[in-house]
Amino acid sequence: MAETMKLELTNEWDKTFPKSDKVNHCKVTFRNRYGITLAADIYEPKIAEGKLPAIAVCGPFGAVKEQCAGLYAQTMAERGFLAIAFDPSFTGESGGVPRYMASPDINTEDFQAAVDFLSVQENVDPEKIGIIGICGWGGLALNAAALDTRIRATVASTMYDMSRVNAKGYFDAEDSADARYAKKEAMNAQRTADYQSGSYTPGGGVVDPLPEDAPFFVEDYHNYYKTDRGYHKRSLNSNDGWNVTGCMSFMNQPILSYSNEIRSAVLIMHGEKAHSCYFGRDAYAAMVKDNPYADNKELLIIPGAVHTDLYDGGGKDAIPFDRMVHFFEEAVK
């Protein structure tokens, strides 16, 4: 059964980055396997002939397509790709109710639905489709690559493994049965309260104002989501965040169980000084372990870069777009 929620798509340019004069841009929609309608920005090079290689971009986790996913998509379109940046189910301009929920399954499906859409476009070569996942969507992109054989190449940028961070906490500091039990106990109490009230309690986005004793990674997020650099009115991280119970299912549903069976090309890129770099290093190690298709896998560590530098370049051109173009071109030859 199709959903009845009507999407309201913004027509004016409301991105956190300037519009390029080298690409055509418009809004599109497509449905995922669960009947949820997703909203996307499509970026197409103005000068293009024949069927193009295509890329679907999503992330970071709790962001919207008007932030860095759109920047990635537009920049790749400037370099000859047809690219879409989409909002995941339950967020941004996309459909799905209740709002501000996340799902290992549905969010992986969102990437596959984007591949569905790209595969049937007249100006797209269906044999040359790739995906880019940023932050928490980097882990979900790897999960999609393990499931969808149509995906020829995957870039995971400044990635999180959302299952790991929910189940074990940051830096695995809460990796114990007791710590997990306490978190589950609190979330299940919240479920009861939400059911009684008839609404879901927001968990709060990035903390603001920034406490003086905030850890660096919180400061890093604040500098992006809560300033003119990256703030967007529809971004969960910029505002009230996911629901308290929004990411609950990630706690016992690992997303990277079969990553070492990925046959297609994968580039994991991470900032050397990113608090999250251990996610990328460990995901790469697990992906190539006992994988007979390890030759087309790469871990790229970017010197001096922190987590959000790979959101928008961090003012130092930290995003290696030329390297990404070369990777995609080699992968789909």
Side-chain angles (χ1 to χ4, degrees), residues 30-42:
F30 54 92
R31 288 185 185 274
N32 70 15
R33 187 163 52 95
Y34 295 102
I36 298 171
T37 302
L38 304 183
D41 287 293
I42 189 166

Side-chain angles (χ1 to χ4, degrees), residues 314-325:
K316 46 190 161 184
D317 296 322
I319 305 171
F321 284 114
D322 290 342
R323 177 68 190 84
M324 292 166 62
V325 169

Side-chain angles (χ1 to χ4, degrees), residues 30 33 99 105 119 121-123 130 146 158 163 170 174 190 192 201 229 248 262-263 267 273 297 304-305 332:
F30 54 92
R33 187 163 52 95
R99 305 301 288 166
D105 180 15
S119 295
Q121 301 308 302
E122 290 185 358
N123 56 345
T158 195
S163 292
Y170 279 98
E174 300 169 355
Q190 185 67 55
T192 302
T201 303
R229 174 184 167 195
M248 184 176 184
I262 298 174
R263 299 187 181 189
L267 170 64
K273 295 185 177 179
K297 310 297 189 289
V332 301

